[in-house]
Amino acid sequence: MATLGMSEDERTAIERFQRDVVEPSMTSLVILYFSAAWCGPCKQLGPLLDKVAGDYAAKGVVLAKIDVDADKFLAAQFQVKSIPTVYAFFQGQPVADLTQYRSEGQVKRVLDQLLGQLPVKGPAQDLAAEVAPLIAMGEDVLAGGDAARAESIFAQIRDMDPANPAVLGGLARAMIAGGRSDEARALLDSLGEAEGKHPAIARARAALELAAAPGVDVSAEQARLDANPDDHEARFAIAQAAMASGDRDKAADELLEIVKRDRDWNDGAARARFLQMLEAAGFEDPWGRAQRRRLSALLFT
């Protein structure tokens, strides 16, 4: 905003806007809120924005308020026609009009979208950048078969970031791999509903269910299958035993063979178990990607 020919009050307003909105927006996401004391809807929206800004402060969200009666000049600059009016500002520019969002859930959803798209810097983002390579290290160690060391790594990361679902999921899977499924179940059961919906937690729960597959002698089932290749119950038991022993290739082969012969057998039990194996492996796992292609080839060709 140019200041040539402006009054002292107008220049002061611009300086305040520069200090309270533009400068913070260089690294933070600023919620710019236009309101007035006499505005009924503002009395409802104001406390909601205060709460959301507090909840998202660690993520780099800042709330800036402008009273349209006290700051008529700034309201005119933004052509505010009605209140409440709410904008999101980043790096000195408005990036979204938030005026239509009037519930806490709506405001948080749009903030989550913006934070996912913009390079906002806050304590939460700094922590995420710090723990990301440590999580990758834990995953590499776990994939390499050293469950005890992986558990130690994830436990240390949890001390840094105790609510991170990726860390908690990795810790649970390390416990499972180390033969401590009961402790992993207790950890997963202690999580709240929102955390429980995270893909990393779903992956850990899938691994827990697979670990519970019975590891038994299936020589009798193998004899049955040799005599009758369509004995899906015997083949499914063999797949379960293969999972329990850690032979996921054989388990996948047997489950896909059931799907090939009768995809609807036992209400699609073989396909459901196969998908559970893929979820436990993780979406980025090369083995899992190859197995997904095998399943797609069976189902769609």
Side-chain angles (χ1 to χ4, degrees):
M1 299 178 184
T3 59
L4 186 63
M6 292 182 178
S7 68
E8 184 63 29
D9 286 345
E10 291 171 344
R11 281 194 293 270
T12 299
I14 289 178
E15 290 172 0
R16 186 168 58 251
F17 181 80
Q18 182 76 21
R19 182 190 67 236
D20 295 343
V21 178
V22 175
E23 291 178 4
S25 78
M26 292 299 105
T27 56
S28 300
L29 183 66
V30 178
I31 301 174
L32 182 58
Y33 172 45
F34 292 90
S35 65
W38 49 264
C39 168
C42 299
K43 294 177 181 179
Q44 294 180 325
L45 185 60
L48 184 152
L49 293 179
D50 285 331
K51 181 180 184 302
V52 171
D55 292 344
Y56 278 65
K59 298 181 180 182
V61 174
V62 176
L63 177 63
K65 302 178 181 181
I66 294 179
D67 186 313
V68 296
D69 290 331
D71 267 318
K72 291 184 173 66
F73 174 73
L74 290 178
Q77 292 294 308
F78 281 90
Q79 299 181 352
V80 174
K81 305 296 184 184
S82 62
I83 51 174
T85 292
V86 188
Y87 295 118
F89 249 72
F90 184 65
Q91 294 185 343
Q93 300 294 327
V95 293
D97 185 343
L98 310 184
T99 304
Q100 62 179 312
Y101 305 110
R102 298 299 177 90
S103 74
E104 181 177 340
Q106 289 175 335
V107 174
K108 286 186 173 181
R109 277 193 294 274
V110 73
L111 287 180
D112 287 338
Q113 292 173 359
L114 291 171
L115 291 170
Q117 297 167 359
L118 301 171
V120 175
K121 295 181 180 179
Q125 288 86 346
D126 292 341
L127 179 59
E130 185 178 357
V131 303
L134 301 178
I135 293 174
M137 179 194 302
E139 291 290 353
D140 287 343
V141 171
L142 183 56
D146 193 342
R149 181 169 172 241
E151 182 179 343
S152 176
I153 292 171
F154 281 116
Q156 291 178 59
I157 306 172
R158 182 175 62 171
D159 291 340
M160 301 168 58
D161 195 0
N164 190 324
V167 177
L168 297 173
L171 178 59
R173 287 188 293 109
M175 290 176 174
I176 295 165
R180 297 166 53 219
S181 294
D182 289 344
E183 292 177 54
R185 188 180 299 277
L187 170 62
L188 295 174
D189 288 346
S190 71
L191 302 180
E193 182 178 354
E195 294 169 312
K197 293 179 180 178
H198 192 279
I201 302 304
R203 181 183 179 187
R205 288 198 180 279
L208 185 62
E209 293 304 313
L210 292 179
V216 298
D217 180 7
V218 289
S219 55
E221 284 78 6
Q222 187 62 58
R224 285 168 48 191
L225 189 62
D226 291 341
N228 177 16
D230 285 326
D231 188 338
H232 303 319
E233 183 179 358
R235 194 182 296 276
F236 191 78
I238 293 169
Q240 295 269 71
M243 284 183 227
S245 67
D247 189 350
R248 61 181 184 177
D249 287 328
K250 180 171 178 56
D253 289 345
E254 299 295 357
L255 291 172
L256 287 176
E257 186 64 25
I258 295 174
V259 174
K260 178 181 177 181
R261 290 172 179 270
D262 184 358
R263 69 181 61 178
D264 296 323
W265 173 77
N266 197 16
D267 294 327
R271 182 170 60 175
R273 201 61 160 170
F274 184 80
L275 291 173
Q276 195 174 48
M277 286 182 64
L278 298 184
E279 186 172 35
F283 188 77
E284 297 301 324
D285 182 71
W287 180 88
R289 290 199 296 268
Q291 298 303 324
R292 283 187 180 87
R293 289 193 292 270
R294 293 179 67 192
L295 179 62
S296 297
L298 278 178
L299 297 178
F300 303 113
T301 58

